[in-house]
C-alpha cells in the first residue's frame, strides 16, 4: 500500500516539475504576446488619435495586457520623471524576456516621443516586426519543447513509480 | 475706458513644469509681480522676462544650454513630439491653463508647406491674460437691431485684441450686456482665444460657445456654420485671402462675424478689396481700432470718435 502511494506521489512530482517547466517556457511567449498586443494598440492610438505617451500608458494600464507595467509607467510619467527614468523603473516588471528582445524594446522606449508622427509610426513597425519574428521562433520551439517536456515528465514519473513498485 | 483686472488662473504650476529647474525659483518670484507678459528662452543666451513696459535679462543665471532647450521641448510636448506635431508646424503649443508657447527653429518645408519644426532654438512662454469683464463696457457698440453687428477690430500687435475678443465671446455667449444670449462659435486657428487642450476650452469663452481650434479659419468657419448654426462667429487675426473670403461668405449667409486684424489704419482696411465688395453687396462691416494706454483700453471708430470714454 505504502509503495503504491509513494509511486503515485513520485509520478505526480515528476509531472508537476514538467508542468512548471512548461509554464516557464510559456511565460516568455505570453509576455512577448502581451507586449506585441499592447504595442499594436499604442500604434493605432498614435496613428489615428495622436495620443501622448501619458495618455497611452494610462489607457493601457486600464485595459492593456501588461497592466502592471503600464500602470508603473503612467505613475512615473505623471510624476514628471521623464520617459527614460519611467522606463528604467517599469522595465523591471518585464521579466522572462531574452536579451535580444529586451534590447529591442529598451531602444524603442528610450527614444520614444522624440520624433514626428511618421518617425514614430516607422519605429513602431520595426519593433513590432522584430517582436513578431521572436514570437514566431519561440512558437515553433515552444510547441516542440513543450511536447518533449510533457512526454519526458510523464515517462519519468511512470519509471520512478515502477521502480518503487 | 476700462481698467484691466488680471484674472488669477494658477498658470505658474504648469510653467514650472516646463522651464529649467535651476530657474524655477527666480522666475516664480518674478511671476508674483504684476505685468509679466512673456518668458523667453534662447539657446546660449540668458532667459528674458518681458513685462508690459520693460524687460529683465537673467544674465546672472547664465545661458540656456541646448540640453535645457531639448528638455523643455520634451516637457512642453509631454514626451510626445508627434502628438503636438500639428501645433509645432504652426510654431506654438498650448499647455493646460491656456498657456501658449511659441517656438522657433528650423522648419522642414515640403511642397511650399511646413511639414515639421526641428532644431528648436527659442521658446516664448506667453502668460495668458484672461481679463474677464474687459469687453463688457463695449458690448453695446457691437449690437445692431438686437443682433451682433459684423465688425473688424484692428490694432497693432500686443494691444490686447485676443483678450478683448475672448471676453466679447463670453459676453455674447452668456448674454452679458446684450439683449439676449447668442449661439457663438469660435474659429480659433491658433488656439489663442480658447486655449483648448484636447478640444476643451481652458479659458472662459462663454456657456453657449462652440470652438473649432487648430485648423485654418477658411475650413473652420464653414464647418461651424454647417454643424453648429451659430448666430455669431468670432475669429482672430485675419491674414490671408482665404480668411477674408470665409468672413465674406459667413456674413453673406446671415451670420454676424467679429474678427480682429493686425493694422494701424482703419481707412486702409475700409479700402481693402473684400471689404469694398461687401459694402457693395450691402453688408457693411463696422471697423474699430483698439487702443491701450497702460492698463486701460478704448475703441475708436472710423469717424475717429472714441467709444466708452476718452484716452
Amino acid at each position: 500500500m505504502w509503495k503504491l502511494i509513494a509511486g503515485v506521489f513520485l509520478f505526480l512530482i515528476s509531472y508537476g516539475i514538467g508542468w512548471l517547466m512548461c509554464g516557464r517556457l510559456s511565460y516568455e511567449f505570453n509576455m512577448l504576446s502581451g507586449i506585441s498586443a499592447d504595442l499594436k494598440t499604442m500604434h493605432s492610438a498614435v496613428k489615428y488619435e495622436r495620443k501622448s505617451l501619458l495618455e497611452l500608458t494610462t489607457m493601457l494600464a486600464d485595459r492593456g495586457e501588461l497592466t502592471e507595467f503600464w500602470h508603473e509607467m503612467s505613475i512615473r510619467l505623471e510624476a514628471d520623471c521623464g520617459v527614460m527614468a519611467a522606463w528604467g523603473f517599469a522595465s523591471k516588471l518585464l521579466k522572462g524576456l531574452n536579451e535580444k528582445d529586451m534590447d529591442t524594446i529598451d531602444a524603442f522606449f528610450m527614444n520614444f516621443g522624440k520624433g514626428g508622427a511618421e518617425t514614430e509610426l516607422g519605429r513602431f513597425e520595426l519593433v513590432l516586426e522584430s517582436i513578431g519574428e521572436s514570437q514566431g521562433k519561440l512558437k515553433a520551439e515552444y510547441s516542440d519543447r513543450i511536447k518533449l517536456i510533457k512526454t519526458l515528465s510523464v515517462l519519468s514519473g511512470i519509471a520512478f513509480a515502477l521502480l518503487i513498485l | 475706458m476700462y481698467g484691466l483686472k488680471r484674472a488669477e488662473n494658477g498658470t505658474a504650476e504648469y510653467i514650472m513644469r516646463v522651464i529649467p529647474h535651476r530657474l524655477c525659483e527666480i522666475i516664480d518670484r518674478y511671476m508674483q509681480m504684476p505685468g509679466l507678459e512673456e518668458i523667453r528662452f534662447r539657446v546660449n543666451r540668458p532667459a528674458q522676462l518681458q513685462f508690459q513696459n520693460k524687460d529683465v535679462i537673467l544674465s546672472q543665471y547664465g545661458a540656456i544650454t541646448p540640453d535645457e532647450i531639448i528638455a523643455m521641448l520634451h516637457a512642453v510636448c509631454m514626451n510626445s513630439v508627434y502628438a503636438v506635431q500639428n501645433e509645432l508646424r504652426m510654431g506654438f503649443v498650448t499647455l493646460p491653463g491656456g498657456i501658449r508657447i511659441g517656438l522657433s527653429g528650423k522648419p522642414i518645408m515640403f511642397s511650399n508647406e511646413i511639414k515639421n519644426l526641428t532644431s528648436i532654438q527659442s521658446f516664448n512662454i506667453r502668460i495668458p491674460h484672461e481679463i474677464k469683464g474687459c469687453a463688457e463696457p463695449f458690448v453695446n457698440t457691437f449690437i445692431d437691431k438686437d443682433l451682433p453687428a459684423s465688425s473688424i477690430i484692428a490694432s497693432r500687435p500686443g494691444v490686447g485684441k485676443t483678450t478683448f475678443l475672448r471676453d466679447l465671446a463670453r459676453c455674447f455667449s452668456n448674454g452679458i450686456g446684450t439683449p439676449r444670449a447668442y449661439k457663438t462659435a469660435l474659429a480659433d486657428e491658433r488656439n489663442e482665444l480658447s486655449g483648448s487642450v484636447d478640444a476643451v476650452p481652458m479659458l472662459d469663452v462663454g456657456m453657449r460657445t462652440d470652438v473649432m481650434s487648430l485648423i485654418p479659419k477658411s475650413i473652420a468657419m464653414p464647418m461651424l456654420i454647417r454643424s453648429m448654426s451659430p448666430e455669431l462667429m468670432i475669429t482672430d487675426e485675419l491674414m490671408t485671402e482665404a480668411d477674408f473670403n470665409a468672413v465674406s461668405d459667413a456674413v453673406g449667409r446671415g451670420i454676424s462675424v467679429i474678427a480682429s486684424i493686425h493694422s494701424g489704419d482703419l481707412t486702409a482696411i475700409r479700402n481693402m478689396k473684400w471689404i469694398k465688395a461687401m459694402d457693395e453687396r450691402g453688408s457693411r462691416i463696422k471697423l474699430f481700432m483698439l487702443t491701450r494706454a497702460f492698463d486701460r483700453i478704448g475703441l475708436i471708430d472710423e469717424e475717429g470718435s472714441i467709444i466708452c470714454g476718452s484716452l
Side-chain angles (χ1 to χ4, degrees), chain B residues 184-189 191 193-196 199-201 203 205-206 208-214 220 224 228:
Chain B
T184 307
L186 286 187
D188 194 7
E189 185 169 345
N191 201 16
L193 285 167
S194 64
S196 295
V200 180
L203 302 167
V205 290
R208 296 171 188 84
T209 303
D210 303 300
V211 182
M212 190 81 81
S213 50
L214 294 170
L224 282 164
M228 307 314 293

Side-chain angles (χ1 to χ4, degrees), chain A residues 46 50-53 55-56 80 83 112-117 120, chain B residues 17 21 73-74 77-85 115-116 198:
Chain A
V46 168
R50 296 285 192 268
K51 279 185 188 284
S52 69
L53 182 59
E55 288 171 318
L56 292 169
D80 277 342
V83 185
F112 188 83
K114 291 179 183 168
E120 293 301 338
Chain B
R17 283 179 167 208
H21 290 309
L73 176 67
H74 290 151
C77 301
M78 291 192 290
N79 300 305
S80 314
V81 172
Y82 60 87
V84 291
Q85 200 176 348
K115 277 281 165 198
N116 206 353
D198 291 333

Side-chain angles (χ1 to χ4, degrees), chain B residues 18-86:
Chain B
V18 168
I19 63 176
H21 290 309
R22 66 186 174 91
L23 296 173
C24 282
E25 199 187 324
I26 182 71
I27 288 178
D28 191 33
R29 239 182 284 158
Y30 274 108
M31 282 187 74
Q32 315 289 327
M33 294 164 67
L36 181 63
E37 296 189 332
E38 293 171 355
I39 310 168
R40 289 171 180 262
F41 300 90
R42 300 178 181 95
V43 172
N44 297 333
R45 279 162 285 175
Q48 176 197 355
L49 300 156
Q50 183 70 51
F51 286 82
Q52 214 169 308
N53 300 311
K54 60 170 183 179
D55 75 340
V56 175
I57 304 279
L58 300 179
S59 41
Q60 69 274 35
Y61 289 86
I64 304 295
T65 65
D67 285 346
E68 281 175 327
I69 287 284
I70 290 170
M72 278 183 76
L73 176 67
H74 290 151
V76 165
C77 301
M78 291 192 290
N79 300 305
S80 314
V81 172
Y82 60 87
V84 291
Q85 200 176 348
N86 204 21

Side-chain angles (χ1 to χ4, degrees), chain A:
Chain A
M1 181 67 180
W2 285 111
K3 278 184 181 177
L4 184 70
I5 291 170
V8 170
F9 186 66
L10 275 176
F11 174 79
L12 288 177
I13 284 177
S14 173
Y15 185 77
I17 289 169
W19 186 78
L20 278 177
M21 283 171 78
C22 288
R24 236 185 217 188
L25 206 65
S26 60
Y27 181 80
E28 188 183 352
F29 183 77
N30 290 340
M31 189 63 105
L32 265 186
S33 302
I35 287 174
S36 173
D38 286 349
L39 286 178
K40 279 177 189 162
T41 311
M42 273 177 96
H43 177 261
S44 302
V46 168
K47 191 171 182 180
Y48 299 110
E49 297 174 71
R50 296 285 192 268
K51 279 185 188 284
S52 69
L53 182 59
L54 180 60
E55 288 171 318
L56 292 169
T57 52
T58 311
M59 175 185 79
L60 290 167
D62 189 36
R63 52 193 158 98
E65 295 284 325
L66 308 172
T67 49
E68 207 182 332
F69 165 74
W70 296 115
H71 182 65
E72 185 69 26
M73 278 284 276
S74 66
I75 285 175
R76 302 284 171 184
L77 287 171
E78 232 165 299
D80 277 342
C81 75
V83 185
M84 283 190 220
W87 163 248
F89 283 111
S91 61
K92 289 169 193 159
L93 297 170
L94 295 181
K95 289 171 195 157
L97 292 180
N98 68 42
E99 208 175 319
K100 185 191 157 255
D101 291 331
M102 201 61 197
D103 285 348
T104 309
I105 300 166
D106 186 64
F108 174 77
F109 276 107
M110 292 297 260
N111 293 299
F112 188 83
K114 291 179 183 168
E118 279 173 34
T119 315
E120 293 301 338
L121 291 174
R123 294 182 60 242
F124 264 112
E125 276 154 30
L126 281 176
V127 74
L128 280 170
E129 198 183 304
S130 170
I131 290 175
E133 274 172 24
S134 296
Q135 266 182 293
K137 271 186 206 167
L138 213 61
K139 199 175 178 181
E141 284 175 26
Y142 168 76
S143 54
D144 289 346
R145 270 200 219 169
I146 285 209
K147 262 183 210 165
L148 184 71
I149 291 169
K150 275 186 180 169
T151 315
L152 280 178
S153 64
V154 171
L155 286 176
S156 54
I158 291 170
F160 285 132
L162 286 174
L163 275 175
I164 288 218
L165 290 171

